[in-house]
Amino acid sequence: MNERDDRRREPGSGYIGASLPRANARRLLAGRAQYVDDIRLPRMAHAAFVRSPYAHARIVAIDAAAAARSPGVVRIVTAREVAAICRPYVGVLTHVAGMRSAPQYPLAIERACWQGEPVAAVIAETRAQAEDAAQQISVRWEELPAVTDAETALEAGTPVIHSELGSNLCFERVVDTGGVDEAFAGAAIVVEAEFHTARHTAVTLEPRAILADWNPGDGQLTVWHSTQVPYMMQWIIARHFGLEETRVRVIAPDVGGGFGLKIHTYGDEMAAVAAALLIGRPVKFVADRLESFTSDFHARGHRVRARMALSAAGEILGMDVDDRYGIGPYSGYPRGSANEGIHVSNLVGAAYRRGAYRAVSRAVFQNKPMYGQYRAVGHPIACMVGEGLADLAAAALGVDPAEFRRRNYLPAGGYPHRIAGGPVFESLSQHEALDRLLALMDYPGLRAGQGESRKRGIWRGIGFASVVENTSSSSATYGQGGASIAAQDACTIKLTATGGIAVAAGLTDTGQGTCAMLAQVAASAVGLPLERVKVVIGDTDATPYGGGNWGSRGAGIGGEAAWRAGRALRANVLSFVARLVESEASLLEVRDGVVVDAATGAVRMTLEEVARTAYFRTHQVPADFQPELTVTRSYAQKTYPGIFTNCIHASWLEVDIDTGFVRLIRHWVVDDCGTVINPLLAAEQIRGAVVQGIGAALFEQCLYGADGQLLNGSLADYLVPMAAELPDIVVGHTCTPTRTSELGARGTGEAGTAGASAAILNAVNDALRALGARVTTLPVTPERVLRALGRVG
């Protein structure tokens, strides 16, 4: 072995293996009669990050000399090295008036702005070696004042995180129909409350992960990524690293949970890509559970002051809402951190005739982890506030809470209906859903049982929550604001030579059953058994362009594209067979993979025979006819900004007034997702979403000290609901297909989360009402219950 070969085998060289037998390794180079001795493959390296221990601090100096000498270290990647090849990003949407944010780099250069922000990367042969070396990097910090309270973030004495912006305001949104002050002045009854929701994070089963492989020979970057949005990430990586989009391939295999967490740009992931480009080797990064708590995007965390004006007859005359929430030090990229505030300002009390309406939502920068979209973006906050006020109004009027809702729902015949703020409801089934819910839960029986329980000192409560949910968004959500996030989806369906179909779609599967849904839709559209369908998703080199999975768009957008592609392929098959058998396409059908006479069921050709004729026996095809047995169709919902659907929850629970603990007994949901494609998947989507709502209601909260330090950043302290805490969840449906598509499907993935926590909070307060206690902060912890009862100071 020559000296050069020995040198290439040194640690960190990027090559593996001993010399292979010459007979197995010979390879002709550029047509010359020369052969190489060895085939050497670049070995995967691993990334670990040095992160800020402070919520806000200046980086005075970084000493990485000891780390560079550590065993297995390939390279120490600095912030300035990454910045030299990666353009900064700014998370603003141009159609959100006044929204602003500072440029952000993958690694902090001069300042770290939240605890957990990455400042340097160690690339080593193993993850353990990278982590060990990261411990050897010495960073000299100058701690700076941290902005940690959203309430004081805009006050004159509060430090401004980004001085060039002039204040800590990211954006402010005002919705005002006019006449609000007059409505309250003339009201017979006014109810009001201040609501709080805690910051929390998604805690996906699979943490964030990325593997980037740069092949300089063909100028190709391949990225295996735990993401919900492969095409969005392809565009972001290409744009910010100066690559042609066609030279970036993003592969998102089965992803272990997303919930919106994996539709954002993360600095550590971008730095892993940068490292792969810098060292010319594959680089892998997987966020461990501990660093996930301070590096993953957070959500929720609102303070909302709201009031409702009512007539003596119980009609809602007006609503007034003031929302404040703190995001991270930057607005999330590329979707921004405004959508929670937009939905809150639009949707508080949106299930009802609200009368005059005013809402103000402000998002402020603070030195806490980044903040963005999480399942049912903003809807749980809006629902908690609106439904909390509805229960207060019903109590003030002496009206049953279910009856109050029925009286104030939007009228069944009043659609389409535009609400203040811009959203348009195509059609809702709220009255029907309420009737179905009350029957499922035996509401009169529960109320009777509640009264009997109280006589025995058992305090049980019933809570309702009506939800209107935005699904299947148009480009009005992101594209209109300049973000390259697809609102359309496409599907390609190919008839295989054996008579099956191969389906390629731009969606992804994060556990919600996307592949099953696409297979069912395609099989039904074409007319063949489900087992003859293969689905390919999550690969920008193998699928047509699409937006991935977010915002309950999978069935409504991607399913519609699959339906249209399948129907087009079916039509092409029938036209082809009609020419072959000298019939009319209208007289034929495809049933169970066989083309038959529609009237008699007589077999004309199997799909395998159709394919083999078109592909292999073209001499049998009429000279003037070309069969098209690979079809692509696209679909974008363009009629409304989003297709709203409705859902109603009920919670039945028991409060132990001695300990403050809440025991969930049963939970009911009636959802309208339009055409139900797979009843089992739809029901389990709702149940899973309800469980996340239970987490928000009773368990989950990111607790911070005044200095911005996360106090419960592990699963030992951050509580999530487990099986023992869960009640039976009963799911029912109403069905109002959307008229904007042929399939008629609406989204169903988020309605369970949107309403569960509001229903549980209302049920807790229903149990406590007779004791004169009320809770308006989530999660409803035992301490908060006891405090409301006056049993703790």
Side-chain angles (χ1 to χ4, degrees), residues 164-426:
E164 65 272 26
L165 299 181
S167 79
N168 290 320
L169 182 67
C170 174
F171 91 107
E172 177 181 86
R173 185 169 191 264
V174 179
V175 177
D176 194 346
T177 63
V180 172
D181 293 334
E182 292 80 359
F184 279 89
I189 296 173
V190 173
V191 295
E192 58 187 317
E194 181 171 302
F195 299 89
H196 293 263
T197 60
R199 254 188 179 237
H200 53 273
T201 188
V203 196
T204 53
L205 184 64
E206 175 192 54
R208 293 184 297 107
I210 191 168
L211 193 162
D213 182 11
W214 168 244
N215 185 333
D218 60 7
Q220 181 73 33
L221 176 67
T222 303
V223 180
W224 286 265
H225 197 189
S226 180
T227 180
Q228 299 169 236
V229 283
Y231 274 105
M232 186 195 86
M233 291 310 304
Q234 179 194 46
W235 178 85
I236 286 172
I237 291 168
R239 174 181 172 82
H240 290 278
F241 286 100
L243 303 172
E244 288 293 329
E245 196 169 353
T246 53
R247 294 296 183 180
V248 178
R249 180 185 184 187
V250 177
I251 302 170
D254 289 341
V255 174
F259 313 126
L261 175 73
K262 298 173 181 177
I263 61 174
H264 305 291
T265 303
Y266 289 90
D268 47 21
E269 295 176 359
M270 295 292 277
V273 173
L277 294 170
L278 289 169
I279 71 173
R281 291 175 57 179
V283 173
K284 178 181 180 180
F285 167 66
V286 179
D288 68 34
R289 189 62 71 186
L290 292 178
E291 67 186 328
S292 290
F293 275 100
T294 55
S295 63
D296 289 356
F297 273 51
H298 292 183
R300 315 296 197 239
H302 288 242
R303 184 275 298 150
V304 186
R305 298 188 183 107
R307 55 186 184 142
M308 177 185 287
L310 300 117
S311 70
E315 176 189 1
I316 299 174
L317 302 178
M319 298 186 71
D320 196 7
V321 179
D322 181 79
D323 172 44
R324 174 76 64 94
Y325 65 109
I327 61 172
Y330 306 91
S331 176
Y333 182 75
R335 296 168 188 263
S337 300
N339 270 357
E340 279 205 351
I342 291 172
H343 285 311
V344 170
S345 57
N346 282 342
L347 298 179
V348 172
Y352 309 108
R353 290 172 278 116
R354 296 187 294 197
Y357 183 78
R358 179 171 60 210
V360 179
S361 182
R362 295 179 183 89
V364 298
F365 297 114
Q366 58 181 355
N367 296 114
K368 291 182 181 179
M370 295 290 292
Y371 186 104
Q373 281 69 6
Y374 174 51
R375 194 174 194 172
V377 187
H379 290 63
I381 297 99
C383 185
M384 170 191 177
V385 174
E387 294 303 292
L389 291 179
D391 267 22
L392 288 175
L397 290 161
V399 175
D400 182 89
E403 183 58 28
F404 176 83
R405 285 164 171 79
R406 187 191 307 279
R407 292 181 189 178
N408 284 281
Y409 277 152
L410 295 168
Y415 300 103
H417 175 79
R418 182 181 296 275
I419 65 171
V424 179
F425 301 160
E426 177 195 11

Side-chain angles (χ1 to χ4, degrees), residues 65 86 154 203 428:
C86 179
L154 300 180
V203 196
L428 302 177

Side-chain angles (χ1 to χ4, degrees), residues 387 391 401 405 437 441 443 446-447 450 460-466 648-653 666-668 755-756 758-767:
E387 294 303 292
D391 267 22
R405 285 164 171 79
L437 178 81
M441 61 190 293
Y443 184 51
L446 285 184
R447 282 295 183 201
Q450 180 186 38
R460 291 181 174 176
I462 302 168
F464 295 100
S466 294
I648 184 165
H649 292 243
S651 175
W652 172 234
L653 54 76
R666 184 159 289 197
H667 196 99
W668 296 266
I760 291 168
L761 180 63
N762 282 346
V764 168
N765 286 326
D766 184 58

Side-chain angles (χ1 to χ4, degrees), residues 424-435:
V424 179
F425 301 160
E426 177 195 11
S427 58
L428 302 177
S429 60
Q430 296 191 106
H431 295 82
E432 181 185 354
L434 177 60
D435 290 340

